[in-house]
Amino acid sequence: MTIVETVLVFVGIPAGIVAVLVFGVYGKTLLHQPNRYRPGKAWTYPPAWYVAHPDALDTHAAPAASVTAVGGASGEW
């Protein structure tokens, strides 16, 4: 075996395996950055409410008349 063949076997093959693993793990994010909110960026998306069970909502109920929520971290209950 020549020195070039030895280097290819002992360096090239492991480097190729590592490159395939790195591309398999990080490949999608390297090719396409996800479109998501990052802290400090302006919020340009429409507001969305999360409801676990939308069927449980009573959409025909009258809204509560001037209910003021109190409490929270300030401790003013």
Side-chain angles (χ1 to χ4, degrees):
M1 278 181 110
T2 66
I3 301 253
V4 173
E5 291 173 339
T6 304
V7 168
L8 286 175
V9 168
F10 289 109
V11 175
I13 293 174
I17 292 172
V18 169
V20 166
L21 290 174
V22 167
F23 186 74
V25 171
Y26 298 110
K28 187 174 181 181
T29 41
L30 290 175
L31 296 176
H32 174 67
Q33 290 296 321
N35 186 16
R36 66 181 200 183
Y37 174 74
R38 299 282 184 184
K41 287 177 55 178
W43 183 261
T44 59
Y45 306 100
W49 290 95
Y50 172 75
V51 179
H53 300 287
D55 297 336
L57 289 178
D58 185 13
T59 58
H60 301 294
S66 68
V67 175
T68 305
V70 294
S74 65
E76 297 175 5
W77 301 19

